Amino acid sequence: MKNEAMIDACLACFAACEMCATQCIKLLSEDHLRCIALCRDCAEICALCVKLEERESEYSHHAMRLCADMCSACAEECEKFATHHSHCHECARACRECAEECMAY
């Protein structure tokens, strides 16, 4: 049985991470390099979780545990910039929600 709440959270997180990484790249600041890297990694694992869940992979739960860890790390990094950049604030929020859904799986 597919976990629609997790799929929705992963898709929202994927979009927020892609947007955040793109906006941070435009800042041309070395301070945001880790944020960019984590956002890109987080977006990829979120997409993978959706794919595995949609194909009912027996390994979905393994990917979701990793996704929860990566989302938490990305949220923590984005929160460092959240007061100055709305894209970082939104990304951190989406990452926290995704981590919660993946941990509940």
Side-chain angles (χ1 to χ4, degrees):
M1 184 171 177
K2 293 179 185 163
N3 183 337
E4 295 299 330
M6 182 280 303
I7 290 171
D8 290 344
C10 280
L11 290 172
C13 189
F14 169 84
C17 285
E18 286 289 334
M19 185 261 306
C20 188
T22 298
Q23 295 305 313
C24 284
I25 288 168
K26 291 178 182 179
L27 295 173
L28 301 173
S29 170
E30 285 189 34
D31 293 340
H32 289 80
L33 292 178
R34 185 162 190 265
C35 184
I36 295 164
L38 285 171
C39 283
R40 293 176 71 204
D41 288 349
C42 193
E44 291 297 322
I45 194 67
C46 286
L48 176 62
C49 283
V50 171
K51 290 176 187 179
L52 292 176
E53 186 69 4
E54 288 293 349
R55 64 177 76 135
E56 299 176 1
S57 171
E58 65 185 282
Y59 294 98
S60 287
H61 63 283
H62 296 294
M64 285 177 218
R65 281 196 298 257
L66 176 60
C67 187
D69 289 344
M70 291 178 75
C71 284
S72 294
C74 189
E76 188 175 310
E77 185 66 18
C78 285
E79 285 166 350
K80 293 177 183 177
F81 306 106
T83 58
H84 301 301
H85 305 293
S86 61
H87 55 89
C88 288
H89 176 76
E90 175 58 27
C91 188
R93 185 198 58 74
C95 285
R96 293 280 182 214
E97 289 178 12
C98 188
E100 186 176 312
E101 287 297 331
C102 285
M103 287 301 293
Y105 189 78

